[in-house]
Structures are given as C-alpha cells and as structure tokens.
Amino acid sequence: MSKKIALAVWVLMLLLSMVLLFTLNQGMTAAFWITFVFVVAAFCSTLLFQCLVGKKAKTPDDRFLQFPSALISGVYVAAQIPLCIVFSLCSDIVSWKVALLVHAIILILAWILSLGGLAGNDYIRKVNSRQKNHHTEL
C-alpha cells in the first residue's frame, strides 16, 4: 500500500473515532477527556511505530518479520474505537480512575507486545544470518 493511501486511511480512522467520541458523549467529564487523550495517543503511537518500522524494512524478509508487530499495532487502534464508543456513552457513569486504568493497561500491553515482537525479530535475524554464513553447497 502506498504511503499516501496509508496516511489517508489513518486520518480517516482518527476522524471517525473523534466524531464518534464527540457525538456519543454524555458529558465532558474527566473520563471523556482521558478517553480522548488515549485515542489520540493510540493513533499517534501507531503512526510513529509504522513509520519507524517501515523505514527499517528493506527486504521482503524484513517486512515479513515486522508483520506481527504491525498487526498488534493495528489491532490496538481497532480496539480503541469500540472502547472510545463505550467510554463516551458511559462517560457520566464511569469514574476517571476506571477509564485511566483500562486505557493504560491496554496501551501498555500493546506496546509490550509490539516491542517484544521487534526484539524477537532481532533474534530471528541473528539466527538467519548465522545459518546463511554456515551453509555450504554440496
């Protein structure tokens, strides 16, 4: 997918989540603003992650190895939209502490899984290069 199309999809998804967040809210409470901050953080961190990972991926092998981390990042953003809907509909009921706790746990879990995938990729690259260097033709 071209970078311009990917950026357009990213912007449209961000706009969709903002429209849903602001139209479905039950009040401008602390839980609402915490949800807003975490939605923006989710989209920005995913964009940053995709840009940094995309620059490193030169070969098809590199792109294949980085697919799980990119998938986790995409699932995190996709999960953030229904979460945004739930917290905007229940913003007058849900405590700001609950909103902060739920969003922080999901954010930290997504980052740990993505960074763990990248760390695993480095190990896989080392093993692959070691195998290629020790391979002899018969």
Side-chain angles (χ1 to χ4, degrees):
M1 185 183 321
S2 89
K3 291 180 182 181
K4 289 181 182 181
I5 293 173
L7 185 61
V9 169
W10 181 86
V11 168
L12 289 173
M13 293 294 289
L14 179 61
L15 287 175
L16 171 70
S17 61
M18 289 297 118
V19 166
L20 289 172
L21 186 66
F22 280 99
T23 57
L24 298 176
N25 72 342
Q26 299 298 317
M28 300 287 184
T29 63
F32 169 80
W33 289 110
I34 288 170
T35 301
F36 173 78
V37 167
F38 274 95
V39 166
V40 171
F43 277 92
C44 291
S45 67
T46 299
L47 181 66
L48 180 69
F49 177 75
Q50 296 294 339
C51 289
L52 292 177
V53 168
K55 285 184 180 182
K56 287 184 177 182
K58 302 290 185 212
T59 65
D61 287 343
D62 288 339
R63 278 182 249 142
F64 177 75
L65 287 176
Q66 293 172 353
F67 180 72
S69 295
L71 181 66
I72 291 168
S73 143
V75 167
Y76 171 52
V77 167
Q80 200 59 25
I81 292 173
L83 202 60
C84 142
I85 292 170
V86 168
F87 277 101
S88 65
L89 287 173
C90 302
S91 63
D92 57 344
I93 301 168
V94 176
S95 165
W96 67 271
K97 293 177 184 179
V98 172
L100 182 64
L101 184 65
V102 168
H103 286 296
I105 288 172
I106 293 173
L107 174 75
I108 291 169
L109 183 64
W111 282 359
I112 287 172
L113 291 173
S114 293
L115 293 175
L118 292 176
N121 290 346
D122 290 338
Y123 181 74
I124 290 170
R125 279 190 198 96
K126 287 179 189 176
V127 170
N128 282 345
S129 68
R130 187 174 61 214
Q131 291 296 328
K132 288 178 185 177
N133 293 338
H134 287 47
H135 179 71
T136 57
E137 297 278 333
L138 292 177

